[in-house]
Amino acid sequence: MLPERRSTVASSSYQNPSGKNDSNSLLLLRRGKKFGRIVKLKLSHFFFFFLSLFFFSCIFSGHKLLFHGSELLPHFEQNPYMNNHMEIDIGLNKSNIEKPPGSKKRNKHLPCEVALGESVDRILEPQDYLNFTRFSLGFVETQTHNKPRFGGHQTLNERERSYSAINQTIHCGFVKGFHQGTGFDLSETDRAYMKNCVISVSSCIFGSSDFLRRPASKKISEFSKRNVCFVMFVDEQTLVKLASEGHVPDKQGFVGLWKTVVVSNLPYTDMRKTGKVPKFLSHRLFPSSRYSIWIDSKMRLTTDPILIIDFFLWRTKSEFAISNHYDRHCVWDEVLQNKRLNKYNHSAIDEQFMFYRSDGLKKFNPSDPNSPLPSYVPEGSFIVRAHTPMSNLFTCLWFNEVDRFTSRDQLSFAYTYLKLQRMNPDRPLRLYMFKDCERRALTKLFHHRVDSSRPA
């Protein structure tokens, strides 16, 4: 097309040697060049459009494009030498942080059927139920130190000895300095109320991190409404926030079934770590309670507490019940997931993980029929326990690990349980680990309002 136009211009110039059409010829020549540039520009646009179309079609059709590194990963996974070295260096090198097995795709986890009793009226506590290991357990109340801490200043020797199921006094939170408190202060009225509780259901919201989700009143029997204490621990900030949303406590401090207990002087700046106090130390907050249920604030209780205690403790003859994690079962995978999602400071996770491995923590083997637990990673949002000496010791030890290391209690659960069992072979903790789908059947799960404050 362009050569023909140039020949036309040339012939016109030749036919008019007198020069009358020189200006017309120049005009035609300039228009021809401009037209050529426009055509080239449009062709380049079309080229890039079809190239982009091809690129996206390859992505959505699953074609394997040979980008840099795409062929290296399968070879790496099949190389046992590399896998072994990855196991050694896991958690120590940031470049090793990959998505753990089981987390590649978000599965839809559904509830399953739980054979609860038909009515609380037909349920009686077994007479021989509390025939568990007996020993005397005391708690450190005060400690002389320049900087008193809520968890105290436990030495490594004291920590080691505390794992023995013997008559002893151990650290278990609420440690005060002389004439100086360390936090989690409650009013005398609330303390008196909690002291009379025989069965407790508790949860907490600190730092306005969640909504208030009331237990489903229609699912709770009149017997449980009269005999079970439903306590929600909050701080002043959360109390104001909940009131602005219509959850105003009455004169006795009740919002529905929840008895709101205000905590002042929070012991930790990390709201997650503060939340471990009512989660693990219910035997200290409810000193007369025989049973307790912990439910995370992201969940609404939709089942009668007596039916829950009957199903998970009395029928199984257990003193502590917790569900396995819905996705992960090995602490190695849990470490990777916490670092991948930046759940906590990576160096702090590495320090805790190296300490546990040096003290004998092994990888979970799902094919081992003699494994002491069906999973080494719990879903700790729902705990049912009897306040027996071994159960109280276990939760004190678990809390001390959270106080010493990170607030990610999934990392310390298996280590604490296995070390306790190893040091007391003749005095086992009767722990029942149930399925996650059963936890989902007894509660309704929601998302947190916001992610709780994380340490730097």
Side-chain angles (χ1 to χ4, degrees):
M1 184 175 183
L2 291 178
E4 291 178 1
R5 183 172 292 277
R6 284 196 293 270
S7 64
T8 304
V9 173
S11 62
S12 299
S13 301
Y14 178 78
Q15 290 173 4
N16 298 281
S18 59
K20 293 180 181 180
N21 295 329
D22 284 351
S23 59
N24 294 335
S25 300
L26 290 172
L27 182 62
L28 289 173
L29 183 61
R30 289 173 181 171
R31 287 180 177 176
K33 290 180 178 180
K34 184 177 180 180
F35 180 77
R37 286 196 298 270
I38 294 173
V39 170
K40 289 181 180 179
L41 187 62
K42 288 186 176 181
L43 286 175
S44 64
H45 287 175
F46 276 112
F47 175 77
F48 284 113
F49 172 77
F50 284 112
L51 183 63
S52 302
L53 195 64
F54 172 76
F55 178 79
F56 284 111
S57 67
C58 288
I59 291 178
F60 288 110
S61 61
H63 291 172
K64 192 172 184 181
L65 300 178
L66 297 178
F67 294 138
H68 174 68
S70 61
E71 294 293 325
L72 180 62
L73 184 60
H75 173 73
F76 175 80
E77 293 175 344
Q78 294 172 6
N79 191 332
Y81 176 82
M82 295 296 289
N83 281 334
N84 292 336
H85 282 70
M86 264 293 287
E87 293 174 5
I88 295 174
D89 295 332
I90 188 170
L92 304 180
N93 191 338
K94 188 175 181 180
S95 63
N96 289 340
I97 302 175
E98 298 177 3
K99 210 166 185 178
S103 298
K104 295 181 180 179
K105 187 172 76 173
R106 183 177 290 276
N107 297 320
K108 188 175 182 181
H109 304 281
L110 300 175
C112 56
E113 185 177 354
V114 180
L116 297 172
E118 296 181 1
S119 171
V120 298
D121 298 331
R122 302 181 181 180
I123 296 176
L124 293 175
E125 180 183 16
Q127 293 182 354
D128 60 343
Y129 168 73
L130 292 177
N131 187 21
F132 292 108
T133 302
R134 291 290 175 184
F135 55 93
S136 176
L137 197 61
F139 308 112
V140 176
E141 300 290 346
T142 58
Q143 199 169 27
T144 57
H145 200 277
N146 295 333
K147 295 181 179 180
R149 297 178 63 255
F150 181 82
H153 293 270
Q154 185 187 47
T155 66
L156 289 177
N157 288 334
E158 291 172 337
R159 176 185 180 275
E160 187 71 17
R161 187 175 186 274
S162 66
Y163 276 84
S164 299
I166 58 176
N167 298 337
Q168 60 172 325
T169 299
I170 64 172
H171 288 78
C172 192
F174 299 97
V175 180
K176 295 179 173 60
F178 284 110
H179 310 294
Q180 186 178 0
T182 54
F184 216 87
D185 300 331
L186 308 176
S187 70
E188 291 301 323
T189 303
D190 289 334
R191 286 185 180 276
Y193 172 82
M194 294 161 59
K195 189 175 182 180
N196 293 323
C197 297
V198 178
I199 300 175
S200 65
V201 176
S202 61
S203 185
C204 72
I205 305 174
F206 297 125
S208 302
S209 60
D210 226 325
F211 300 97
L212 183 67
R213 299 179 174 96
R214 309 184 190 187
S217 183
K218 294 182 179 179
K219 300 286 186 177
I220 311 298
S221 66
E222 292 299 322
F223 177 86
S224 293
K225 290 178 181 178
R226 293 191 307 268
N227 295 279
V228 177
C229 296
F230 296 85
V231 175
M232 173 65 71
F233 295 94
V234 298
D235 57 349
E236 291 286 352
Q237 175 188 343
T238 302
L239 190 67
V240 173
K241 181 66 175 178
L242 296 180
S244 68
E245 296 173 342
H247 301 293
V248 180
D250 60 19
K251 294 181 179 180
Q252 286 75 37
F254 284 89
V255 179
L257 290 179
W258 285 126
K259 162 70 172 174
T260 57
V261 172
V262 180
V263 181
S264 57
N265 189 18
L266 300 182
Y268 304 100
T269 56
D270 181 6
M271 295 297 106
R272 287 199 195 95
K273 190 166 284 192
T274 300
K276 307 307 177 186
V277 177
K279 179 175 182 177
F280 294 144
L281 306 184
S282 58
H283 59 286
R284 303 218 57 191
L285 292 167
F286 303 92
S288 303
S289 183
R290 299 175 64 190
Y291 302 97
S292 65
I293 297 174
W294 165 261
I295 180 170
D296 194 273
S297 59
K298 68 182 178 183
M299 302 163 67
R300 172 181 289 136
L301 185 65
T302 58
T303 309
D304 192 283
I306 303 300
L307 298 180
I308 293 174
I309 293 172
D310 169 62
F311 183 80
F312 290 113
L313 298 183
W314 294 344
R315 294 192 201 177
T316 62
K317 299 186 183 302
S318 303
E319 49 192 324
F320 193 96
I322 190 171
S323 75
N324 64 278
H325 196 273
Y326 55 86
D327 197 22
R328 294 177 295 280
H329 303 287
C330 183
V331 182
W332 269 248
D333 297 333
E334 186 64 24
V335 167
L336 286 180
Q337 183 74 345
N338 275 265
K339 296 174 74 174
R340 189 180 73 86
L341 298 179
N342 287 321
K343 291 289 188 179
Y344 209 90
N345 179 276
H346 291 201
S347 297
I349 293 176
D350 290 340
E351 178 186 358
Q352 181 178 9
F353 189 45
M354 290 175 63
F355 189 100
Y356 289 169
R357 291 175 62 192
S358 67
D359 198 24
L361 180 65
K362 305 296 182 183
K363 295 186 73 172
F364 174 71
N365 183 5
S367 61
D368 182 8
N370 299 318
S371 177
L373 290 171
S375 172
Y376 280 5
V377 181
E379 173 49 65
S381 60
F382 190 72
I383 299 175
V384 188
R385 53 176 292 217
H387 290 186
T388 61
M390 281 299 290
S391 173
N392 295 343
L393 175 60
F394 173 66
T395 51
C396 284
L397 297 174
W398 196 2
F399 174 80
N400 290 341
E401 295 304 308
V402 170
D403 177 71
R404 179 179 291 271
F405 294 109
T406 72
S407 61
R408 308 305 299 173
D409 53 47
Q410 296 96 331
L411 301 179
S412 51
F413 166 78
Y415 169 83
T416 306
Y417 174 78
L418 295 173
K419 185 177 178 67
L420 179 64
Q421 297 297 88
R422 185 173 70 246
M423 294 187 64
N424 304 277
D426 298 329
R427 294 187 166 190
L429 169 67
R430 307 292 183 184
L431 187 146
Y432 175 59
M433 197 169 224
F434 54 92
K435 299 177 181 178
D436 176 68
C437 63
E438 295 176 311
R439 174 185 69 96
R440 295 174 183 270
L442 307 178
T443 62
K444 187 173 182 180
L445 187 63
F446 298 86
H447 291 291
H448 288 296
R449 183 202 302 267
V450 294
D451 198 5
S452 301
S453 60
R454 298 176 182 174

